[in-house]
Amino acid sequence: MLLIPAIDLKNGEAVRLYKGDYNQKTVYSSTPEDIAKAFEAMGAHYLHVVDLDGAKDGQTTNLETIKKIRKAISIPMELGGGIRNMETVDLYLNEVGIDRVILGTAAIHDPLFLKEALKVYGPKRIVVGVDIKDGYVSTSGWLETSQVYYLDFLKVLEEIGVKTIVCTDISKDGTLTGPSFEIYEEIKKNTHLDFVVSGGVKGNEDIYKVNDLNYYGCIVGKAYYEGKVDLKEVIQCLQKG
């Protein structure tokens, strides 16, 4: 299993939101690149970064901060938030050196763009973020909920050629109440997608459970920042496996 620590960016700072609410944020650092370096020093093999401003307005708002993070570490890095056209995909993958990008809003509103990105870069570098609210896909930085049921959407993604998704239950994100394992079991039963568990991790035991269930990956964010997860210890335990 791939354990992926997360950095969420807003106005150039590392923050966390509560249930996706932009008005309920906690600022953890004004130098996110230092957090990234710390994650790498702990043994992390991948980094997850989200441009929250970008997710909301569709712009590359935190581009300079993202560049600083990329230059600060040598491990692979995935990025989501506001990536809604090929110019932005090209910018991040080719110029900034991001290893894979996560398409969210665009994947549901503009399937032709998703198909083009997959055709140009392949499914290893194009990941889809599926954010779920009450069983339906949410978009635009979680500010809008579609009428598309999440399992129906996942089957469409498979048909298009998507291989990997980052799946977040918005009701769990930033709550430290445990992931929505029932949703992930449904995904495992109904699709062949590799999926990253995102949202709600409250401690080491949740990460070990994701590993035991043989899921592809797990993102840890607030639980680390609030001292609920000993990232270095967990990484070492997973490696001993």
Side-chain angles (χ1 to χ4, degrees), residues 60 82-98 100-103 106 113 116-118 120-121 125-126:
T60 55
I83 305 170
R84 298 177 192 172
N85 54 57
M86 284 303 293
E87 290 80 10
T88 309
V89 172
D90 295 339
L91 169 68
Y92 284 134
L93 293 182
N94 296 331
E95 294 182 38
V96 182
I98 303 300
R100 64 186 185 189
V101 293
I102 303 164
L103 308 184
F113 161 51
E116 183 183 1
L118 285 167
V120 174
Y121 290 103
R125 303 198 73 190
I126 303 297

Side-chain angles (χ1 to χ4, degrees), residues 1-5 36 38-47 75 204 207-208 211 218 220 224 229-241:
M1 182 199 73
L2 194 60
L3 178 58
I4 315 174
F39 285 148
E40 183 171 32
M42 290 177 208
H45 294 114
Y46 226 104
L47 177 66
I75 57 173
N204 295 7
I207 299 169
Y208 294 137
N211 184 62
C218 181
V220 59
Y224 164 77
V229 165
D230 185 331
L231 194 65
K232 188 173 182 179
E233 177 188 303
V234 172
I235 289 170
Q236 289 175 343
C237 287
L238 291 174
Q239 286 173 340
K240 290 174 186 174

